[in-house]
Amino acid sequence: MDYKELARKIKDGYNSLKREPIFKYYNITWNQKLGTAEILVENDAGFKAIIIGNTKKSNSRGYMYLVYTNDRKVPFPSVKEIIRRLKVIANRGILADKDAEYFDWREYGSLEMQRIYFSEIIKRAAKTASVKKANHEDEYLEFTDSMIERMDEMDQAVYQMCLTLLELENEEDYAKRFPWNIGIVEEIKESVIQILNENQYRVCHPFIQEEEGNREFCGLDSCGLSECFRHP
């Protein structure tokens, strides 16, 4: 995951707003199904904020301020600081910083449910940002929605396996004893894939490879399928 690329995009969004006297919001990511941004930057009359989630009332799963301030003298956070906060939320942690805030979590179900939602948003955006770079045809090569869904499916399967092994049965229990940690999940997933491959079992593990400066989608030789429906 490339949190640096995502954080840089957020910072650039804020810098764009500073130069624009009219626009107050800059959409970083957009959810086509919901018709709304899920990561956006606000700069309005001295109020600065990074918003994660869906602020619309319809179909909303909640939203939060990754950071906010009404003080004109307080600078927008650095890329390094944005990365730190993004990683906390991606790992389903809770930001306790005084300039971060969660909204109406009772209305949207629970804070735990919102944390899962915010994590999904950031993980998906970071995965997309990591490959959103020009290929040899000066076009953008990105993970498709199907590839991202497959990676999320694998991550959740590994996490559920860990909960079973640790005999954690309810959300409150595992939220305290084994909170989401993408580092652990990725390490276990890679080990499992390696073991399966060594025993002649192929796994569809979507990735984008780079050769001689060009980025290409993973091929059928890596997953053993006869046809791919997750990318062109």
Side-chain angles (χ1 to χ4, degrees), residues 15-169:
N15 290 335
S16 295
L17 286 177
K18 284 200 304 182
R19 296 190 295 267
E20 266 292 347
I22 299 176
F23 298 107
K24 301 175 181 178
Y25 299 94
Y26 189 99
N27 298 331
I28 305 299
T29 67
W30 186 265
N31 187 314
Q32 194 66 37
K33 293 180 181 179
L34 297 178
T36 185
E38 287 187 307
I39 301 180
L40 68 153
V41 178
E42 180 177 356
N43 184 26
D44 182 11
F47 178 77
K48 302 183 284 283
I50 302 171
I51 304 171
I52 309 294
N54 180 2
T55 59
K56 289 186 175 181
K57 286 294 183 181
S58 59
N59 299 320
S60 179
R61 293 170 62 186
Y63 69 97
M64 66 169 293
Y65 284 155
L66 191 73
V67 63
Y68 76 97
T69 180
N70 277 301
D71 191 341
R72 292 177 180 270
K73 297 179 181 179
V74 175
F76 197 76
S78 66
V79 170
K80 182 178 180 180
E81 175 60 15
I82 296 173
I83 291 173
R84 183 188 72 81
R85 296 185 182 221
L86 288 174
K87 287 184 176 180
V88 170
I89 302 304
N91 289 328
R92 298 189 185 179
I94 297 178
L95 280 178
D97 306 69
K98 63 180 181 180
D99 58 347
E101 190 169 355
Y102 296 79
F103 291 89
D104 302 325
W105 56 268
R106 290 183 179 85
E107 177 182 345
Y108 299 122
S110 69
L111 180 56
E112 287 73 23
M113 291 174 63
Q114 278 188 284
R115 286 161 62 192
I116 293 173
Y117 172 50
F118 300 148
S119 173
E120 291 172 353
I121 292 172
I122 292 173
K123 284 171 58 184
R124 184 177 297 110
K127 286 175 180 177
T128 301
S130 67
V131 295
K132 196 170 185 181
K133 297 180 181 178
N135 63 10
H136 62 285
E137 296 177 344
D138 293 329
E139 297 175 350
Y140 284 112
L141 190 63
E142 302 180 42
F143 279 109
T144 64
D145 288 343
S146 184
M147 292 173 73
I148 293 173
E149 288 173 4
R150 170 61 176 169
M151 290 186 288
D152 285 343
E153 177 185 49
M154 296 173 73
D155 290 345
Q156 289 300 322
V158 171
Y159 184 65
Q160 289 301 319
M161 178 189 72
C162 292
L163 297 179
T164 299
L165 293 175
L166 295 171
E167 298 183 290
L168 303 179
E169 298 180 353

Side-chain angles (χ1 to χ4, degrees), residues 172-193:
E172 182 178 354
D173 192 22
Y174 63 67
K176 292 181 179 178
R177 294 177 55 194
F178 189 68
W180 176 269
N181 187 314
I182 190 60
I184 295 176
V185 170
E186 289 287 348
E187 186 174 351
I188 294 173
K189 181 173 66 176
E190 292 296 335
S191 297
V192 171
I193 291 174

